[in-house]
């Protein structure tokens, strides 16, 4: 089956404390952009204040890791936070606020399950084609919407339009699933590429853990979402997207792949993998910064979820 989905667009690590998460990721050797905190005047004549959900990006050439949290009244905000004013005419302000509150509710539900990876967004070459395929498979979605994504270029930060499609399927309990297009090619050509001290160059895999009896049903769902057949590797289902993998693994086999890992609630994303230039250099960087590093049967190494706010992070030789 041919598909317009070719890689992972990004994963989202949902956390309670943005400052703590950024400190950990920077210690791991990632360059993290300052977190973005939207501000809004909720009532006409009021004072703008942080509102809704905040996020920070760890960028690669064609995809990224997102760190996400909710903005709490009186909560701690990182000193380098970038405040983004949101404004709208009074006629539509209430609708925008309602949309933001729905997003916060989704993130809060994720955190109520466990702190960790809860967001998986697939990269699509055409969001409209993806929507049509979901319609054909009778998969609910929120329609194609255009959002503005910041892209760092040699001339400064540019806000570029990107089409986004969110899955709205009652069977999805593992988190938030969506499709997104990459920015236009002319924006990518001028994008400044980040050189991470740990040598990470690309996001290449997301790992979903399910109850043993749910593997086939979950794989059938993802076959509809992605428009391609999974491959069976023993008792594991793998969707090969050329530029990445979606691995669905039964609970009884999770420790075969990630020794010592458990999840407090299933289905759930156990973690994700990034490709690095030189795994030995990456391992040395991690260990010198005090992280426990565990080897896998695939000859990867990973930092366990207990050390990284509920998500296992795998490093793989490029």
């Amino acid at each position: 089956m041919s598909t317009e989905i070719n890689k992972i667009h990004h994963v989202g690590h949902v956390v309670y404390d943005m400052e703590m998460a950024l400190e950990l990721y920077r210690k791991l050797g990632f360059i993290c952009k300052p977190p973005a905190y939207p501000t809004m005047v909720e009532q006409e004549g009021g004072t703008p204040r942080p509102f809704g959900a905040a996020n920070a990006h760890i960028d690669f050439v064609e995809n990224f890791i997102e760190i996400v949290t909710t903005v709490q009244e009186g909560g701690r905000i990182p000193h380098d936070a970038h405040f983004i004013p949101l404004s709208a005419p009074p006629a539509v302000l209430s609708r925008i606020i309602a949309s933001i509150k729905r997003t916060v509710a989704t993130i809060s539900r994720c955190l109520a399950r466990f702190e960790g990876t809860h967001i998986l967004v697939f990269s699509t070459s055409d969001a409209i084609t993806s929507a049509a395929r979901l319609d054909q498979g009778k998969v609910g979605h929120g329609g194609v919407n255009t959002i503005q994504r910041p892209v760092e270029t040699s001339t400064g930060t540019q806000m570029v339009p990107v089409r986004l499609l969110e899955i709205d399927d009652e069977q999805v309990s593992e988190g938030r699933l969506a499709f997104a297009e990459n920015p236009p090619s002319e924006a990518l050509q001028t994008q400044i590429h980040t050189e991470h001290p740990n040598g990470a160059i690309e996001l290449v895999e997301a790992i979903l853990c399910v109850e043993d009896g749910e593997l086939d049903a979950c794989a059938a769902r993802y076959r509809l979402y992605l428009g391609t057949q999974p491959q069976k590797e023993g008792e594991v289902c793998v969707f090969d997207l050329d530029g990445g993998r979606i691995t669905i693994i039964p609970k009884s086999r999770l420790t075969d792949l990630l020794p010592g890992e458990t999840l407090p609630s299933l289905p759930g994303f156990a973690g994700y993998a990034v490709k690095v230039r030189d795994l030995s250099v990456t391992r040395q960087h991690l260990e010198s910064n005090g992280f426990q590093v565990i080897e896998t049967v695939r000859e990867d190494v990973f930092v366990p979820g207990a050390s990284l706010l509920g998500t296992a992070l795998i490093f793989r030789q490029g």
Side-chain angles (χ1 to χ4, degrees):
M1 297 173 66
S2 61
T3 179
E4 75 286 356
I5 311 301
N6 54 19
K7 61 174 67 67
I8 299 171
H9 188 273
H10 70 273
V11 295
H13 186 178
V14 180
V15 302
Y16 289 109
D17 188 319
M18 176 64 77
E19 190 168 49
M20 181 184 296
L22 290 172
E23 181 180 348
L24 277 171
Y25 272 96
R26 286 165 177 158
K27 192 175 177 183
L28 284 166
F30 292 104
I31 292 176
C32 307
K33 288 184 177 178
Y37 277 72
T39 62
M40 178 174 272
V41 178
E42 289 194 69
Q43 296 180 345
E44 192 171 358
T47 302
R49 65 179 183 84
F51 177 75
N55 68 1
H57 284 187
I58 298 168
D59 285 335
F60 305 112
V61 173
E62 293 187 324
N63 51 24
F64 61 92
I65 300 163
E66 182 182 31
I67 307 170
V68 186
T69 193
T70 58
V71 178
Q72 300 296 324
E73 185 72 33
R76 186 167 62 171
I77 295 178
H79 67 89
D80 61 344
H82 178 46
F83 295 104
I84 302 176
L86 300 179
S87 61
V92 299
L93 182 60
S94 61
R95 180 165 55 86
I96 293 174
I97 291 174
S99 176
I100 292 172
K101 287 182 175 179
R102 284 195 297 271
T103 298
V104 171
T106 299
I107 297 170
S108 297
R109 284 194 297 270
C110 292
L111 281 172
R113 295 183 64 214
F114 61 91
E115 189 174 29
T117 300
H118 288 280
I119 298 168
L120 174 58
V121 180
F122 312 109
S123 182
T124 176
S125 59
D126 188 335
I128 292 176
T129 298
S130 296
R133 190 166 41 72
L134 293 181
D135 288 337
Q136 187 175 16
K138 295 182 169 53
V139 176
H141 60 81
V144 177
N145 295 291
T146 300
I147 63 171
Q148 299 292 318
R149 175 182 163 187
V151 174
E152 299 293 335
T153 71
S154 56
T155 58
T157 301
Q158 295 183 14
M159 301 300 293
V160 297
V162 173
R163 293 194 294 187
L164 178 72
L165 169 70
E166 296 214 35
I167 293 176
D168 184 15
D169 185 345
E170 62 183 15
Q171 297 183 69
V172 177
S173 56
E174 59 266 32
R176 173 177 171 257
L177 302 178
F179 303 83
E181 296 179 2
N182 271 323
S185 59
E186 57 269 23
L188 289 176
Q189 287 171 2
T190 59
Q191 184 178 10
I192 296 174
H193 301 313
T194 303
E195 294 289 335
H196 299 285
N198 61 14
I201 54 177
E202 186 180 8
L203 173 65
V204 293
E205 185 174 15
I207 299 168
L208 175 61
C209 184
V210 300
E211 296 286 359
D212 286 27
E214 297 296 322
L215 181 66
D216 290 342
C218 187
R221 278 200 292 121
Y222 275 73
R223 181 180 61 80
L224 288 176
Y225 302 157
L226 299 172
T228 189
Q229 294 285 357
Q231 303 167 359
K232 276 302 246 339
E233 296 182 2
E235 297 182 51
V236 176
C237 285
V238 175
F239 290 88
D240 188 347
L241 305 179
D242 294 332
R245 290 162 51 108
I246 310 299
T247 298
I248 306 176
I249 188 167
K251 178 181 178 181
S252 61
R253 296 298 180 187
L254 180 60
T255 55
D256 295 346
L257 180 64
L258 298 172
E261 288 299 293
T262 61
L263 281 179
S265 177
L266 296 178
F269 292 103
Y272 59 91
V274 297
K275 185 188 296 185
V276 301
R277 289 192 174 86
D278 187 326
L279 188 58
S280 63
V281 172
T282 301
R283 180 168 188 164
Q284 183 180 18
H285 181 96
L286 296 171
E287 291 177 337
S288 67
N289 280 284
F291 287 100
Q292 180 187 11
V293 176
I294 301 174
E295 295 182 2
T296 76
V297 293
R298 295 180 180 174
E299 298 183 347
D300 303 326
V301 300
F302 75 96
V303 174
S307 301
L308 190 55
L309 304 177
T311 193
L313 176 47
I314 303 162
F315 297 86
R316 178 168 300 151
Q317 178 65 52

